[in-house]
Amino acid sequence: MRTDSNRPAAVAGSWYPGTRGALERDVDRYLQAAAREPAPRGRLDALIAPHAGLMFSGPVGAFAYQAAAAAMPDTIVLVGPSHFVAFEGVALYPAGGFETPLGLAPIDEALGAELQAASALIQPMPAAHRREHSLEMQLPFIRRVLPGAAIVPLLMGDQTRETIEALADALGRVAPGRRLLLVASSDLSHYFDAATAEQLDARVQDCVAAFDPARLLEIFEQYPEGERGRYVACGGGPAIAVMLAARARGAAAGRVLKYMHSGQISGDNSQVVGYLAGAFGRFTDVH
């Protein structure tokens, strides 16, 4: 049912198919390709997944959500960068749901309120979400793989150390008895030639594999704030916060599930964007 508090889809029909059937076919094709490689076994606490148009990010994002299929969380906390609205702290979409061609993704309002109580930097700010694609691009996979899960949508404005650490602390402390899945929405380097992008993105992959958010924050802070998205990751702050929070919630290891760049899909290697699927948890398989 449509209510005034529901957020309409902003990029359905452009960044991904706007009809249920076409979207299901695309998502299922990417998931089937990802299923050819084994997903990590054991407890999954957090993911990093990309947020470009589905034809570019879908082949990588599918690896993240294939890993999530067995996690069965009741709530998924989505943390992404704000591309269009500048603000301090973290913007929560507090109530209702996010509309998608695969049905409404309902919001866990109680957990959102708990996060607000845990940090003064987390504030309800629905207007910041209106045009933003970074969280919306996670929903085709979430609605297909984990259709029973509610979401908590969070956008990070200024990606400062203070905001990153405050959000990580809040995410690490809330709902201690519940199985949450934390998802950081981030693409990697932007608009370098393929060889340069692969070198830059290898640093992020190393930090994910080593489960080293402190090192990733050091790399992030080597660049002026306006350049961090280009050289490291547009959602670097969300990724670091989620990694820190995952550790606080008991995760012990990180995995790079898939890396690609846009040139491998489009054939244009002159100016590419990097995409990563990463996982954090307590894994029982040998890697």
Side-chain angles (χ1 to χ4, degrees), residues 130-245:
R130 192 165 296 135
R131 293 176 58 202
E132 182 55 54
H133 60 272
S134 66
L135 305 187
E136 183 176 335
M137 291 309 301
Q138 309 304 319
L139 298 180
F141 284 109
I142 289 171
R143 292 297 303 159
R144 196 63 173 148
V145 174
L146 298 165
I151 63 171
V152 175
L154 301 170
L155 291 176
M156 188 176 287
D158 59 333
Q159 296 188 38
T160 62
R161 180 179 286 260
E162 178 188 11
T163 299
I164 290 167
E165 292 179 345
L167 178 58
D169 178 68
L171 290 173
R173 289 191 289 113
V174 297
R178 293 177 58 188
R179 290 295 303 277
L180 307 180
L181 179 62
L182 311 178
V183 177
S185 175
S186 184
D187 296 337
L188 301 189
S189 67
H190 284 59
Y191 311 131
F192 294 95
D193 64 87
T196 302
E198 289 170 0
Q199 291 177 345
L200 292 169
D201 296 343
R203 302 174 303 170
V204 181
Q205 294 183 71
D206 289 345
C207 291
V208 169
F211 199 5
D212 193 348
R215 175 59 182 154
L216 186 54
L217 182 54
E218 288 177 1
I219 294 169
F220 203 52
E221 290 182 329
Q222 288 174 7
Y223 300 92
E225 285 189 45
E227 295 294 321
R228 293 172 183 174
R230 182 165 188 242
Y231 283 87
V232 185
C234 59
I240 296 161
V242 160
M243 290 171 71
L244 289 167

Side-chain angles (χ1 to χ4, degrees), residues 5-8 41 47 50 58 61 67 76 84 97 110 114 123 172 175 189 196 219 223 226-227 229 236 266-268:
S5 61
N6 289 345
R7 175 197 179 271
R41 295 192 300 272
L47 296 170
I76 301 171
F84 301 108
E114 192 174 345
Q123 294 291 328
S189 67
T196 302
I219 294 169
Y223 300 92
E227 295 294 321
S266 68
D268 180 359

